[in-house]
Amino acid sequence: MQQIKDNEDVASLTELLGTAWQARWRIVLATSLIVVASVAASLHMAQYKSEGFFQFGGAIPMPAEKKLDANEKDPASGIALADYKRYAAAFGTVERFADFVKYNKLEDTPGIDQMRKVFIVRGGIDNVVEPVYPFSKLDAKELEQPRDGSNTNVIGLRLSFESGSPQNAQRIVGLLGRFIMDSIVYLSYEDALRVKAAEMNAKITKLENYIIDVNHLLEENQRKGESLKQVVARYPDSMQNARQLVSVTEENARYLSPITQLMTSEVRIVELKEIINKAKRNRQQAVVLREYYDKARAFMNQTRSGEVIVRGLETIKDGVFKGKDLNDDTIKEVYNTISIENQNALSLYLEKSRFIAGPSLPERRSTRLSSVILTSGLLGLLFSVILVFGSKWWRENRQKMGS
């Protein structure tokens, strides 16, 4: 029985091979047509992939200016992971991209429509934007980096995009880097300007209350001084005890000689006047800063571009200080502080933050032609063989199925 079964299997295999051999030219023709069609489609729909590495030039958002004698360490370069997640949620929306395209008049740029589709698909931005960290988990382990969160900052972005034209792919990667940086700058200033304007209002109110309290102390000490002068005038002999060495506490201070108390009161008056002058100076500077931040916030509400905001702050500063006396050190200090802040922002956001690799101009297609030929050849051969045997089966069973 086993021999009969083996003979039947050999006969079936021989029959199959015979059928395939008889239809060999049809199989070759069908396979060739599928390969040619696949190659033509691949050439027509070829995709070119451009890549680039966009580096953040420092700590973002820009930290507050340190004092000249400050010993604090410089903040780590890049964007804290929590801030990056917030920025990514904003620049990953189609609305934000549409605002950027409209404001910069990029509607006719080749590849823009294809790029817009990336934002429409949920999570599509993750396919073209990849955050880069100072150390991977493996790097941190090998280098024995301390687990203090210092390696969680995003120091740059690896950007990529595929298009039917090498030039379009390169152009869109460059545009993508510009768009992301523009969005980060806008969101940074949107947060900072609102907070600083509110801080200046609160600071001015606190300083006004502080000046009122110190003025009250000054008047109190002045009244005390006048009374002590009258006491000294009535008791001139108290001058003899002015040089006594005593241990002064809050309880026994009133038992000092009147002349000693008078001198202490006058010294306190001088100190309080200096405190008031310093508070008034701080209030004057806060008023100027409030005016600047209010105008900067109003300007921000008129645009959706971070780059426009950064470049426009100098003009706003000039408008605020127009007519003010820059020879006054109090005003000049605020002017210089704002100038330094704006210069640092231009350097950080628009000069240091840039592509340090790419965007590349791809020379080869994303899919190799040899892979297309091999894959289409195998699929074409399989399809042709199935078609031949299916056709034979249909001819042999058509009459049976009809009856």
Side-chain angles (χ1 to χ4, degrees):
M1 293 295 294
Q2 182 65 32
Q3 185 177 3
I4 295 174
K5 184 177 181 181
D6 291 342
N7 291 335
E8 289 178 354
D9 291 341
V10 172
S12 298
L13 180 59
T14 303
E15 184 180 356
L16 290 174
L17 291 175
T19 302
W21 178 254
Q22 291 175 2
R24 62 185 182 278
W25 295 116
R26 282 186 292 168
I27 293 174
V28 170
L29 179 60
T31 302
S32 300
L33 290 175
I34 291 174
V35 170
V36 171
S38 299
V39 170
S42 176
L43 292 175
H44 179 69
M45 302 175 63
Q47 294 292 303
Y48 296 85
K49 185 176 183 179
S50 176
E51 296 179 326
F53 181 81
F54 191 91
Q55 171 190 267
F56 297 128
I60 296 175
M62 188 175 65
E65 182 186 3
K66 295 193 302 182
K67 300 298 183 182
L68 295 178
D69 58 348
N71 295 321
E72 298 178 6
K73 294 182 178 179
D74 292 332
S77 180
I79 305 175
L81 186 57
D83 286 333
Y84 176 76
K85 293 288 186 181
R86 186 165 56 90
Y87 295 149
F91 69 66
T93 61
V94 66
E95 292 80 10
R96 174 64 192 162
F97 183 72
D99 287 340
F100 177 78
V101 171
K102 181 179 179 180
Y103 191 86
N104 292 278
K105 299 178 181 179
L106 301 172
E107 292 87 348
D108 298 330
T109 302
I112 280 292
D113 291 337
Q114 188 179 356
M115 185 65 210
R116 189 179 284 110
K117 294 177 182 178
V118 172
F119 293 91
I120 295 175
V121 178
R122 184 175 182 179
I125 190 67
D126 296 331
N127 297 325
V128 296
V129 179
E130 178 187 355
V132 178
Y133 303 94
F135 302 100
S136 65
K137 292 182 179 179
L138 181 60
D139 293 333
K141 183 177 180 181
E142 291 179 350
L143 298 174
E144 297 182 355
Q145 290 294 316
R147 297 181 179 181
D148 57 357
S150 60
N151 66 335
T152 59
N153 278 12
V154 178
I155 61 171
L157 302 172
R158 186 172 287 109
L159 308 177
S160 62
F161 190 76
E162 289 187 358
S163 181
S165 164
Q167 291 76 14
N168 282 353
Q170 183 187 44
R171 184 184 300 110
I172 292 300
V173 170
L175 189 63
L176 184 60
R178 178 186 167 193
F179 160 69
I180 291 175
M181 195 65 227
D182 188 88
S183 299
I184 291 174
V185 173
Y186 181 83
L187 292 171
S188 298
Y189 272 97
E190 185 179 37
D191 295 340
L193 292 177
R194 295 183 191 281
V195 170
K196 287 181 177 179
E199 285 179 349
M200 287 303 111
N201 282 323
K203 184 177 182 179
I204 291 170
T205 303
K206 289 180 181 179
L207 285 171
E208 288 175 348
N209 287 339
Y210 183 64
I211 292 172
I212 291 173
D213 290 339
V214 178
N215 269 324
H216 177 71
L217 290 174
L218 177 62
E219 293 173 359
E220 194 175 273
N221 278 270
Q222 286 175 338
R223 290 194 300 269
K224 181 180 178 181
E226 291 298 325
S227 300
L228 287 170
K229 287 179 181 179
Q230 295 176 7
V231 171
V232 170
R234 288 198 300 269
Y235 302 100
D237 294 339
S238 63
M239 289 290 295
Q240 298 176 2
N241 300 323
R243 295 173 181 260
Q244 292 180 351
L245 297 176
V246 295
S247 177
V248 181
T249 64
E250 186 177 354
E251 288 77 14
N252 64 16
R254 61 178 174 272
Y255 297 111
L256 293 173
S257 65
I259 189 62
T260 302
Q261 294 188 50
L262 176 59
M263 293 173 62
T264 302
S265 178
E266 291 186 350
V267 170
R268 182 58 175 163
I269 289 172
V270 172
E271 291 176 348
L272 291 174
K273 287 182 177 180
E274 286 299 317
I275 291 174
I276 291 173
N277 289 334
K278 184 176 181 179
K280 287 181 177 180
R281 182 176 184 273
N282 290 339
R283 183 188 179 282
Q284 184 182 2
Q285 291 183 334
V287 169
V288 176
L289 285 171
R290 180 179 62 180
E291 181 184 357
Y292 169 74
Y293 288 131
D294 284 342
K295 290 188 176 182
R297 187 172 60 175
F299 175 69
M300 182 192 68
N301 293 334
Q302 299 173 3
T303 180
R304 299 286 293 175
S305 171
E307 182 178 347
V308 171
I309 292 174
V310 174
R311 296 191 183 281
L313 289 177
E314 276 296 292
T315 303
I316 294 172
K317 181 200 70 176
D318 293 339
V320 169
F321 286 91
K322 185 178 181 180
K324 289 183 172 60
D325 183 12
L326 292 180
N327 292 321
D328 184 348
D329 289 342
T330 301
I331 301 298
K332 184 66 174 180
E333 183 180 4
V334 180
Y335 179 88
N336 290 340
T337 300
I338 295 175
S339 297
I340 293 171
E341 185 178 287
N342 291 343
Q343 290 167 7
N344 290 339
L346 283 169
S347 175
L348 172 62
Y349 295 129
L350 304 183
E351 295 176 10
K352 293 181 180 179
S353 296
R354 58 188 176 84
F355 279 100
I356 61 172
S360 61
L361 181 64
E363 298 180 357
R364 297 180 179 179
R365 305 175 184 85
S366 301
T367 304
R368 293 185 178 180
L369 198 59
S370 58
S371 300
V372 174
I373 294 174
L374 179 60
T375 303
S376 60
L378 292 175
L379 293 176
L381 180 61
L382 178 62
F383 175 77
S384 302
V385 171
I386 292 175
L387 186 63
V388 167
F389 286 109
S391 176
K392 180 182 178 182
W393 180 88
W394 174 255
R395 289 195 304 270
E396 291 176 352
N397 294 276
R398 182 172 55 182
Q399 294 179 354
K400 295 180 182 179
M401 294 175 63
S403 62

